[in-house]
Amino acid sequence: MKTLLIWGAGDQGTVTMDCALAMNVYSRIDFLEIKGKGCREIPGYRIYQEEEIDLDDFLNSYDEVIVATGDNQIREDRITLLMAMGISVATITHPTAVISPTAKIGRGCTLFANAVIHTNAAVGMGCIINTAAIIEHDCIIEDFVNVSPKAAMAGHTKIGKSTFLGIGCTIIDDVVVGKDVVIGAGAVVIQDIPDCVVAVGVPAKAQ
Ligand SMILES: CC(C)(COP(=O)(O)OP(=O)(O)OC[C@H]1O[C@@H](n2cnc3c(N)ncnc32)[C@H](O)[C@@H]1OP(=O)(O)O)[C@@H](O)C(=O)NCCC(=O)NCCS
């Protein structure tokens, strides 16, 4: 059994905890609050504050660390720091997630209950693949993407770095979504989306 630090003690931190507990591989789980990102009460768990610790010694005292925030930029910054410090970045996978043996998953990802990562799909570093999201065969998801619950990507789609896919959105096959994009809840994406836009609706259009 290993020790786990969840860096982030807000909503994302608590759902990540559930996922980590279901894995049944961690003997102790603690939290480190991300300053300014909100902190929930988590009964029975110790929540440390960033300003009260010596970061280097503290992070090194855990077997693994997972960064748990929906903010893609903060997740990227913290994971980059952990890797530069040589700290073991966890990949948290709920036991009900279905992952093809041919799929590739980067370090620092969290895969929630009933997520599906199908044949030959590639998920980059530090991604969130939320509850019941479907990443079909041959999709490419670049680093630090946040996929909301029940988002569905058809085969051969590509999602650029740090993009957010809203809850229940659908992306048809072969579409390329740029980096730093926000796809709204329930959108249906039927054509390529450029970088750095918000796209909503059916069919999805950049606002
Ligand atoms: C797309 C989104 C980010 C836009 O948020 P926002 O910038 O605050 O936008 P607003 O609420 O001000 O809406 C702006 C306009 O877009 C429309 N709009 C917003 N979201 C929309 C959506 N998902 N589908 C269709 N239209 C949408 C609004 O009706 C509004 O239209 P109007 O100007 O004609 O009145 C947000 O609405 C959304 O869909 N977020 C996804 C949340 C989610 O999936 N959370 C899961 C967490 S796990």
Side-chain angles (χ1 to χ4, degrees):
M1 299 286 263
K2 301 176 282 188
T3 57
L4 176 71
L5 178 72
I6 299 179
W7 200 349
D11 292 348
Q12 190 68 29
T14 54
V15 291
T16 300
M17 176 191 72
D18 253 16
C19 216
L21 287 172
M23 291 167 76
N24 205 24
V25 296
Y26 297 110
S27 56
R28 196 181 97 223
I29 298 174
D30 293 331
F31 289 85
L32 175 61
E33 182 189 0
I34 296 174
K35 200 168 176 222
K37 290 308 287 180
C39 182
R40 290 175 53 154
E41 282 209 12
I42 309 171
Y45 288 88
R46 179 79 202 264
I47 305 174
Y48 294 88
Q49 310 297 318
E50 287 179 336
E51 58 268 22
E52 74 183 16
I53 51 152
D54 176 278
L55 202 57
D56 200 357
D57 287 349
F58 181 77
L59 295 173
N60 272 298
S61 69
Y62 290 88
D63 294 319
E64 294 184 355
V65 180
I66 183 77
V67 181
T69 170
D71 185 316
N72 293 341
Q73 186 60 59
I74 292 181
R75 221 168 47 257
E76 176 174 356
D77 293 346
R78 296 296 194 283
I79 290 175
T80 304
L81 178 68
L82 290 169
M83 288 182 145
M85 293 168 79
I87 286 164
S88 179
V89 177
T91 297
I92 301 295
T93 306
H94 194 278
T96 63
V98 178
I99 302 169
S100 162
T102 56
K104 293 189 178 66
I105 314 284
R107 297 305 302 168
C109 288
T110 305
L111 312 181
F112 285 91
N114 295 321
V116 177
I117 317 286
H118 223 312
T119 315
N120 290 326
V123 177
M125 202 190 328
C127 293
I128 295 170
I129 311 296
N130 230 309
T131 314
I134 296 174
I135 315 296
E136 261 305 334
H137 64 90
D138 301 291
C139 286
I140 297 172
I141 300 200
E142 293 186 344
D143 297 342
F144 310 113
V145 166
N146 186 347
V147 180
S148 294
K150 288 202 96 173
M153 295 168 54
H156 296 277
T157 58
K158 184 178 173 196
I159 310 295
K161 179 173 174 278
S162 299
T163 279
F164 171 83
L165 303 184
I167 190 162
C169 73
T170 300
I171 301 174
I172 70 163
D173 29 313
D174 295 312
V175 162
V176 177
V177 175
K179 62 178 181 178
D180 291 310
V181 167
V182 173
I183 302 293
V188 177
V189 181
I190 61 168
Q191 59 189 22
D192 293 356
I193 304 286
D195 295 346
C196 306
V197 298
V198 177
V200 298
V202 181
K205 298 220 177 332
Q207 285 181 314

